[in-house]
Amino acid sequence: MLVAIILAVILSLLAFTSLVINIIIPSIDLTMYTVIFFAVTIIGWLFISYTLLNKRRRTLFLEKFNKLDRNNDKLHNFFILLDFIEDKEVDMTVVKAALNGIYFSPSSMRKRPEKAKKKELFNLLIEYYLTLTNDKCKNNFIWDFNMNFFTWRWIGLTSCIGIVGIGILSLCYNFVPHPNDVLYTALYFFFGAMIVPLIAKFFGHII
């Protein structure tokens, strides 16, 4: 993570340096490089934020899990998966049976749990815990990152694609000779639609 932060800082400095030079010495090529630097920098910082939030999320829930009652029959499958993640459960038959008890678990994970990534399995375990307990897990994260982790991951991906796409289209429209207006309009609508989930989520919390 330290390496990722250092790289993001370097890219940020390059982006702002390129922007200053471009303001002093206007150039089409330099403008495109500046946009690329900023796009990569934004994606880099979003990746770092996502990783840190995800790590904090796992820590928060692990603390909750350690306080649960193992004698609760309702949490039987839950504790089997938790033990599997922590390498305390090695019987794949038991693990498969527990996964089959979770209706929204991926079929590939149910068939080959030993091949599943522990991080993804832990995220699945959190979602299962939330369905069993209705725990709202209030914290200082952005809005409801804990409650809608998979939704936010999808929104972050589509938003990045939409914003970068619109930025590149704007540059190409102004600098590429004889642009096809119909094609550009269609592409603007396409990339604009990618940002709609973020806007909907934002106003869903504000209004």
Side-chain angles (χ1 to χ4, degrees):
M1 180 53 62
L2 180 60
V3 174
I5 293 174
I6 292 173
L7 288 174
V9 170
I10 292 172
L11 283 172
S12 300
L13 292 174
L14 287 172
F16 282 106
T17 301
S18 179
L19 177 63
V20 171
I21 295 173
N22 194 32
I23 292 172
I24 299 172
I25 309 173
S27 168
I28 294 175
D29 292 337
L30 189 56
T31 300
M32 296 191 70
Y33 282 122
T34 302
V35 171
I36 292 172
F37 277 138
F38 270 106
V40 174
T41 299
I42 291 171
I43 292 172
W45 282 115
L46 286 174
F47 170 77
I48 291 170
S49 299
Y50 166 81
T51 303
L52 292 175
L53 281 173
N54 197 17
K55 183 178 180 181
R56 171 60 184 148
R57 180 176 187 260
R58 289 195 298 271
T59 302
L60 173 71
F61 276 95
L62 193 57
E63 291 173 357
K64 287 178 174 288
F65 295 165
N66 290 330
K67 296 177 182 178
L68 295 175
D69 181 13
R70 280 185 171 266
N71 295 319
N72 188 338
D73 293 336
K74 185 180 180 182
L75 300 174
H76 177 69
N77 288 338
F78 173 85
F79 281 113
I80 290 175
L81 296 179
L82 181 61
D83 289 342
F84 174 64
I85 291 171
E86 296 179 340
D87 298 321
K88 297 176 182 177
E89 177 61 68
V90 295
D91 189 340
M92 288 300 106
T93 303
V94 174
V95 174
K96 286 180 181 179
L99 283 170
N100 285 326
I102 305 176
Y103 71 91
F104 53 84
S105 61
S107 58
S108 59
M109 191 178 289
R110 291 197 297 269
K111 292 177 182 177
R112 301 291 297 276
E114 68 277 6
K115 298 292 184 181
K117 294 180 180 179
K118 292 298 176 69
K119 289 183 179 180
E120 290 299 318
L121 192 55
F122 197 87
N123 290 331
L124 175 71
L125 193 65
I126 291 174
E127 297 303 316
Y128 185 44
Y129 165 78
L130 293 173
T131 61
L132 292 174
T133 63
N134 294 318
D135 187 352
K136 297 302 181 182
C137 303
K138 295 298 183 182
N139 54 75
N140 294 323
F141 286 171
I142 300 173
W143 292 319
D144 57 352
F145 183 84
N146 270 332
M147 288 294 293
N148 293 295
F149 170 74
F150 291 104
T151 303
W152 276 113
R153 185 166 62 179
W154 177 72
I155 286 175
L157 178 63
T158 57
S159 300
C160 282
I161 294 173
I163 292 170
V164 172
I166 289 174
I168 293 174
L169 278 177
S170 299
L171 280 176
C172 292
Y173 187 86
N174 289 303
F175 298 124
V176 175
H178 309 295
N180 185 324
D181 288 342
V182 176
L183 175 62
Y184 273 74
T185 301
L187 288 173
Y188 271 120
F189 273 107
F190 173 78
F191 287 114
M194 293 284 190
I195 306 176
V196 170
L198 177 64
I199 297 173
K201 193 73 171 172
F202 177 79
F203 284 104
H205 284 273
I206 297 301
I207 296 176

